[in-house]
mmCIF file of all heavy atoms in Angstrom:
data_model
loop_
_atom_site.group_PDB
_atom_site.id
_atom_site.type_symbol
_atom_site.label_atom_id
_atom_site.label_comp_id
_atom_site.label_asym_id
_atom_site.label_seq_id
_atom_site.Cartn_x
_atom_site.Cartn_y
_atom_site.Cartn_z
ATOM 1 N N GLY B 528 15.159 -25.861 -78.210
ATOM 2 C CA GLY B 528 14.710 -27.014 -78.982
ATOM 3 C C GLY B 528 15.274 -28.311 -78.457
ATOM 4 O O GLY B 528 16.224 -28.327 -77.667
ATOM 5 N N VAL B 529 14.641 -29.396 -78.872
ATOM 6 C CA VAL B 529 15.081 -30.736 -78.492
ATOM 7 C C VAL B 529 15.178 -31.544 -79.780
ATOM 8 O O VAL B 529 14.291 -31.479 -80.625
ATOM 9 C CB VAL B 529 14.063 -31.405 -77.542
ATOM 10 C CG1 VAL B 529 14.536 -32.791 -77.150
ATOM 11 C CG2 VAL B 529 13.832 -30.558 -76.312
ATOM 12 N N ALA B 530 16.260 -32.281 -79.929
ATOM 13 C CA ALA B 530 16.391 -33.095 -81.134
ATOM 14 C C ALA B 530 16.824 -34.500 -80.759
ATOM 15 O O ALA B 530 17.652 -34.688 -79.858
ATOM 16 C CB ALA B 530 17.424 -32.464 -82.071
ATOM 17 N N ALA B 531 16.240 -35.469 -81.455
ATOM 18 C CA ALA B 531 16.603 -36.864 -81.205
ATOM 19 C C ALA B 531 17.918 -37.173 -81.907
ATOM 20 O O ALA B 531 18.178 -36.691 -83.016
ATOM 21 C CB ALA B 531 15.499 -37.783 -81.724
ATOM 22 N N THR B 532 18.781 -37.948 -81.235
ATOM 23 C CA THR B 532 20.036 -38.403 -81.846
ATOM 24 C C THR B 532 20.041 -39.933 -81.829
ATOM 25 O O THR B 532 19.078 -40.558 -81.390
ATOM 26 C CB THR B 532 21.241 -37.874 -81.054
ATOM 27 O OG1 THR B 532 21.213 -38.473 -79.744
ATOM 28 C CG2 THR B 532 21.225 -36.360 -80.921
ATOM 29 N N ASP B 533 21.150 -40.517 -82.277
ATOM 30 C CA ASP B 533 21.212 -41.990 -82.327
ATOM 31 C C ASP B 533 21.065 -42.627 -80.955
ATOM 32 O O ASP B 533 20.502 -43.711 -80.809
ATOM 33 C CB ASP B 533 22.544 -42.430 -82.943
ATOM 34 C CG ASP B 533 22.567 -42.108 -84.432
ATOM 35 O OD1 ASP B 533 21.476 -41.867 -84.983
ATOM 36 O OD2 ASP B 533 23.657 -42.074 -85.007
ATOM 37 N N ASN B 534 21.622 -41.970 -79.949
ATOM 38 C CA ASN B 534 21.584 -42.596 -78.615
ATOM 39 C C ASN B 534 20.959 -41.691 -77.565
ATOM 40 O O ASN B 534 21.400 -41.658 -76.429
ATOM 41 C CB ASN B 534 22.998 -43.000 -78.184
ATOM 42 C CG ASN B 534 23.932 -41.815 -78.223
ATOM 43 O OD1 ASN B 534 23.551 -40.725 -78.668
ATOM 44 N ND2 ASN B 534 25.150 -42.000 -77.747
ATOM 45 N N GLY B 535 19.982 -40.928 -77.983
ATOM 46 C CA GLY B 535 19.295 -40.084 -77.004
ATOM 47 C C GLY B 535 18.841 -38.767 -77.590
ATOM 48 O O GLY B 535 18.270 -38.735 -78.689
ATOM 49 N N PHE B 536 19.134 -37.714 -76.864
ATOM 50 C CA PHE B 536 18.644 -36.389 -77.271
ATOM 51 C C PHE B 536 19.719 -35.340 -77.059
ATOM 52 O O PHE B 536 20.620 -35.519 -76.246
ATOM 53 C CB PHE B 536 17.435 -35.984 -76.429
ATOM 54 C CG PHE B 536 16.297 -36.958 -76.512
ATOM 55 C CD1 PHE B 536 16.121 -37.932 -75.550
ATOM 56 C CD2 PHE B 536 15.407 -36.892 -77.580
ATOM 57 C CE1 PHE B 536 15.083 -38.838 -75.625
ATOM 58 C CE2 PHE B 536 14.363 -37.800 -77.653
ATOM 59 C CZ PHE B 536 14.209 -38.767 -76.683
ATOM 60 N N ILE B 537 19.562 -34.247 -77.796
ATOM 61 C CA ILE B 537 20.369 -33.073 -77.518
ATOM 62 C C ILE B 537 19.394 -31.918 -77.285
ATOM 63 O O ILE B 537 18.475 -31.688 -78.072
ATOM 64 C CB ILE B 537 21.395 -32.789 -78.653
ATOM 65 C CG1 ILE B 537 22.224 -31.562 -78.298
ATOM 66 C CG2 ILE B 537 20.709 -32.590 -80.009
ATOM 67 C CD1 ILE B 537 23.474 -31.440 -79.145
ATOM 68 N N ILE B 538 19.571 -31.268 -76.160
ATOM 69 C CA ILE B 538 18.678 -30.167 -75.774
ATOM 70 C C ILE B 538 19.490 -28.884 -75.883
ATOM 71 O O ILE B 538 20.577 -28.784 -75.296
ATOM 72 C CB ILE B 538 18.174 -30.346 -74.321
ATOM 73 C CG1 ILE B 538 17.515 -31.717 -74.169
ATOM 74 C CG2 ILE B 538 17.194 -29.248 -73.933
ATOM 75 C CD1 ILE B 538 18.194 -32.596 -73.181
#
Side-chain angles (χ1 to χ4, degrees):
Chain B
V529 180
T532 65
D533 289 343
N534 56 354
F536 302 97
I537 181 164
I538 305 118

